[in-house]
Amino acid sequence: MVGFYFDLEDNLLDLRASLMDKSYAPAPYAFFYVRDPKLRPIHKATVCDRVLFQAVFRVLYPLFDRHFIFDSYSCRFEKGTHAGVRRLCEFAAKVSENYHRPVYALKCDVQKFFYNIDHRILLRLLKREITDENVIWLLEKIVGSFNVGDSKGLPLGNVTSQLFANVYLNELDQFVKHILKGKFYLRYCDDFIILNNDAEYLVEVVPVIQKFLDENLKLNLHPRKVEICKLSQGIDFLGYVSFSRHTVLRTKTKQRMLKKMSYKRSQLIAGEIKKEKFNQVLQSYLGVLGHCDGYNLENVLKNSFQNQTSSYKDEAGRRGPRES
């Protein structure tokens, strides 16, 4: 353990020295895929680089976060998916005047957002708030450490990428809120929604938004992910479907949840996982259902899985788990 701390201290001192003499350069990223639920490419930085990226994030986050709109919910303290869904329901109640008027939602997605972030535009936006030449030098190193071609792209997996993404799309947020006067607008990463009583208005605003993205951020809306839906038919956003007076879990999410629990139950029976691990997965899903009207599905999970684990305990315990 003592040797570990000496190595840590040496590595931190080496990192500091490379920053001081400006010899620092991020190491190549390790590439792999995760399923979340769709397949996503992840680029993982080295431990040394992650330590530095986290430090940069902690310093820059409060500097930029104060300029973000209230209704930006991705990778921000006290925000997140559940807060975004609750806000969507608040908006729906206001736009409908307590559900007495129809409500339409324009849903959009930016095409290949992280891979299309332009380094030059991003650095220009960062320099609006940062004037220290040493910090700018470091940010240029971090931003330039990943490139999919023509000085574009940010790696999925970096904590700095999350902040940079919000800095980049804050330009869109400000445009929609202050130029288009989109009062009922909210965004989570590259997905955003505008609510209005007039469906025609939402149709007309799409090319205006596309023009802004193209001219100012070199981005495009995903052509197959631009849709206008009606509140009475349900607004699918961030894993939940919101209606006038209730919110339910997305059907695909529900199916994936039941499939995952069935698989975990088979692992429990086979003695491949401990009961504690099984219950952790179950409780996480019950927590997800706590943010919507999921009473029936909650009962299914409890009756099909929670109440049956005791009968597996002895059988699995006798064989002993092969892995934890």
Side-chain angles (χ1 to χ4, degrees), residues 249-262:
L249 199 64
R250 180 187 291 161
T251 300
K252 288 184 178 180
T253 305
K254 178 172 64 176
Q255 293 171 344
R256 188 167 61 252
M257 180 183 295
L258 293 172
K259 183 178 179 180
K260 178 69 173 290
M261 286 308 306
S262 294

Side-chain angles (χ1 to χ4, degrees), residues 222-235:
H222 197 301
R224 296 192 302 275
K225 295 184 179 180
V226 175
E227 61 175 305
I228 295 175
C229 51
K230 198 172 183 179
L231 177 63
S232 60
Q233 298 171 331
I235 301 174

Side-chain angles (χ1 to χ4, degrees), residues 94-97 101-104 195-200 202:
K94 291 180 180 179
V95 175
S96 65
E97 296 179 7
R101 299 183 65 190
V103 177
Y104 299 91
L195 300 186
N196 201 281
N197 301 117
D198 186 356
E200 287 300 317
L202 296 177

Side-chain angles (χ1 to χ4, degrees), residues 36-251:
D36 182 36
K38 65 181 182 181
L39 207 61
R40 294 183 184 276
I42 300 295
H43 294 81
K44 184 178 180 181
T46 63
V47 173
C48 179
D49 288 336
R50 293 205 302 274
V51 169
L52 177 61
F53 296 165
Q54 185 64 237
V56 170
F57 173 83
R58 291 187 179 189
V59 172
L60 295 188
Y61 177 87
L63 182 65
F64 285 97
D65 188 73
R66 62 186 180 181
H67 296 295
F68 297 158
I69 65 170
F70 180 86
D71 291 305
S72 167
Y73 288 90
S74 175
C75 303
R76 297 179 67 195
F77 300 142
E78 300 181 359
K79 298 291 182 177
T81 57
H82 299 136
V85 172
R86 288 194 298 270
R87 185 64 162 172
L88 174 62
C89 294
E90 292 176 13
F91 279 175
K94 291 180 180 179
V95 175
S96 65
E97 296 179 7
N98 204 21
Y99 311 112
H100 289 95
R101 299 183 65 190
V103 177
Y104 299 91
L106 169 65
K107 293 176 52 185
C108 297
D109 179 288
V110 178
Q111 189 171 31
K112 295 182 178 178
F113 170 55
F114 275 89
Y115 279 6
N116 282 309
I117 291 177
D118 188 281
H119 292 179
R120 290 151 294 198
I121 295 174
L122 173 59
L123 288 169
R124 187 177 74 241
L125 297 175
L126 294 172
K127 290 175 184 178
R128 285 181 183 175
E129 293 298 317
I130 300 168
T131 57
D132 187 286
E133 292 184 358
N134 292 321
V135 177
I136 292 173
W137 168 83
L138 178 56
L139 292 178
E140 289 174 343
K141 287 288 185 181
I142 296 173
V143 172
S145 67
F146 183 84
N147 190 348
V148 297
D150 194 25
S151 296
K152 286 187 176 183
L154 290 180
L156 277 169
N158 273 12
V159 66
T160 49
S161 295
Q162 299 169 2
L163 176 62
F164 295 162
N166 275 334
V167 170
Y168 208 80
L169 282 184
N170 183 56
E171 298 301 294
L172 171 65
D173 298 342
Q174 301 296 336
F175 174 74
V176 174
K177 295 290 287 186
H178 300 296
I179 305 302
L180 297 184
K181 306 298 182 183
K183 184 177 180 180
F184 301 104
Y185 162 88
L186 58 91
R187 178 179 62 80
Y188 186 94
C189 196
D190 59 338
D191 296 319
F192 60 91
I193 279 187
I194 304 175
L195 300 186
N196 201 281
N197 301 117
D198 186 356
E200 287 300 317
Y201 165 78
L202 296 177
V203 171
E204 294 170 358
V205 86
V206 172
V208 179
I209 292 174
Q210 175 56 74
K211 185 173 185 287
F212 174 84
L213 288 173
D214 179 42
E215 293 181 351
N216 295 274
L217 300 175
K218 296 186 179 179
L219 296 174
N220 291 294
L221 296 175
H222 197 301
R224 296 192 302 275
K225 295 184 179 180
V226 175
E227 61 175 305
I228 295 175
C229 51
K230 198 172 183 179
L231 177 63
S232 60
Q233 298 171 331
I235 301 174
D236 189 332
F237 189 58
L238 301 180
Y240 297 90
V241 181
S242 299
F243 294 87
S244 296
R245 299 180 186 275
H246 68 286
T247 299
V248 297
L249 199 64
R250 180 187 291 161
T251 300

